[in-house]
Amino acid sequence: MRIRVLGSAAGGGFPQWNCNCPRCREARSGRLAEESRTQSSIAVSADGDRWLLINASPDIRAQVLATPELQPGRDARDTGIAAVALMDSQIDHVTGLLMLRESTTPLPIYCSERSEEDLRTGFPILEILSHYCGTQVHNLPLDGQAVEPPEVPGIRFTPVALTSKAPPYSPHRADPQPGDNLGLFLEDRRSGRTAFYAPGLGEMEPQLEPWLASADVLLVDGTTWADDEMQHTVGGRKTAREMGHMPQTGPGGMIEHLRRFPDARRILIHINNTNPILDPASCERAQLAEEGIEVAHDGMVIEL
């Protein structure tokens, strides 16, 4: 199984178009230009030909242009993207579906019932796509049952419900339920190697323990370094935890939890533009290195 990181930043990317925080300023000035990142998304394949796109970033066009495996090469119009899995209905994870409207066949989309409802009501992308390529929606189970998409042979994944809220536009924003946000336990059916992917992880709940403990790779939420980072850096009103993300530091932070899984390859993804780990020379990045924790970047390839 091969995992390609298409985008490793949180919503807005890095640098964010309207942000003048220290990291974005340094990216524009050139010092951190090579650390630029698009909004988070990965692609998974067992054969290197047919790929499962996990989350459709607003930056999908640029991501495909940077990824030869996803580009046309078999017919006049085609793509290596065989199916799409959505972990939630957040704007930075679904807007890219609109960019895929030129598909020559209906898009196979795997998502929870809650996400499908959002994408037919509050943000009706699925209805819009019905006037273009169309979609084939498959609702994901939340009972621990694994899914084997026929479009991507050799790949199996199990959706894991995470505690979170639906997007602000959602009709059920004030009524959080299982299915609003998912983690995915990915398996290579041939090798048995596994990865747990959760770019939006607000709490380390007890039911996650067996999934994390059995994964060879943990690709998890790296949004902020500190819980109050947004408030101190750009004057945000909410903490990381209030936005549904676990900070790396502080009691119960991501670093503390990842120490319990030293045998797994541990990688942070969905990194916000305010996070000091975007600077390779920072003391925060050095601390991660001491912990054996990596920072995802666009184009990163994970072989399992």
Side-chain angles (χ1 to χ4, degrees):
M1 178 168 65
R2 179 180 299 171
I3 300 173
R4 286 207 62 134
V5 175
L6 304 180
S8 53
F14 177 67
Q16 182 173 306
W17 68 279
N18 68 337
C19 184
N20 196 34
C21 73
R23 254 63 60 187
C24 288
R25 197 159 56 242
E26 291 187 322
R28 293 192 189 93
S29 71
R31 193 180 80 80
L32 294 182
E34 293 184 0
E35 299 300 316
S36 294
R37 286 163 163 79
T38 58
Q39 295 167 90
S40 72
S41 176
I42 65 172
V44 182
S45 177
D47 61 10
D49 184 48
R50 289 160 291 188
W51 292 79
L52 176 66
L53 176 67
I54 302 181
N55 290 336
S57 159
D59 299 317
I60 184 63
R61 181 181 181 276
Q63 292 168 349
V64 169
L65 290 176
T67 310
E69 296 95 327
L70 303 185
Q71 296 170 11
R74 309 155 198 77
D75 209 340
R77 284 199 174 186
D78 73 351
T79 176
I81 299 172
V84 183
L86 302 177
M87 306 182 72
D88 53 45
S89 53
Q90 297 288 345
I91 283 178
D92 52 327
H93 287 162
V94 302
T95 308
L97 292 173
L98 295 174
M99 305 302 108
L100 302 180
R101 67 189 181 279
E102 294 161 333
S103 173
T104 56
T105 59
L107 291 172
I109 297 176
Y110 293 81
C111 65
S112 70
E113 289 185 14
R114 297 278 287 187
S115 289
E116 181 184 5
E117 180 184 344
D118 284 345
L119 299 180
R120 293 196 185 279
T121 55
F123 190 23
I125 284 180
L126 298 178
E127 304 309 313
I128 294 171
L129 288 175
S130 70
H131 298 281
Y132 295 90
C133 61
T135 60
Q136 297 173 338
V137 178
H138 307 274
N139 286 146
L140 295 173
L142 301 178
D143 58 0
Q145 179 182 343
V147 177
E148 297 183 12
E151 302 89 353
V152 192
I155 297 296
R156 175 167 52 206
F157 66 88
T158 305
V160 181
L162 306 176
T163 296
S164 186
K165 288 184 178 180
Y169 70 79
S170 171
H172 50 258
R173 168 73 169 179
D175 179 32
Q177 297 289 333
D180 288 332
N181 184 26
L182 303 175
L184 295 183
F185 185 77
L186 303 160
E187 301 176 73
D188 185 321
R189 294 184 58 200
R190 182 181 58 185
S191 70
R193 302 277 285 173
T194 60
F196 185 73
Y197 179 48
L201 188 55
E203 297 180 31
M204 195 64 75
E205 302 168 282
Q207 73 268 21
L208 299 181
E209 186 78 20
W211 302 107
L212 295 164
S214 57
D216 297 299
V217 172
L218 300 177
L219 193 57
V220 294
D221 195 330
T223 307
T224 68
W225 181 256
D227 193 32
D228 59 356
E229 179 178 307
M230 295 286 288
Q231 295 165 316
H232 284 300
T233 308
V234 292
R237 291 176 294 176
K238 295 182 179 180
T239 66
R241 293 186 185 276
E242 288 172 341
M243 293 187 291
H245 297 284
M246 185 186 302
Q248 276 102 68
T249 56
M254 186 64 75
I255 292 175
E256 179 181 303
H257 286 291
L258 290 180
R259 286 176 183 147
R260 306 202 322 271
F261 310 104
D263 296 331
R265 184 177 177 186
R266 299 161 298 169
I267 307 170
L268 299 177
I269 196 168
H270 195 271
I271 304 157
N272 198 59
N273 58 80
T274 56
N275 196 327
I277 66 173
L278 287 167
D279 185 349
S282 66
C283 60
E284 291 85 359
R285 191 71 165 263
Q287 183 175 335
L288 288 181
E290 291 176 2
E291 297 279 353
I293 298 172
E294 301 175 59
V295 177
H297 58 82
D298 291 19
M300 186 179 202
V301 178
I302 301 166
E303 299 275 2
L304 287 165

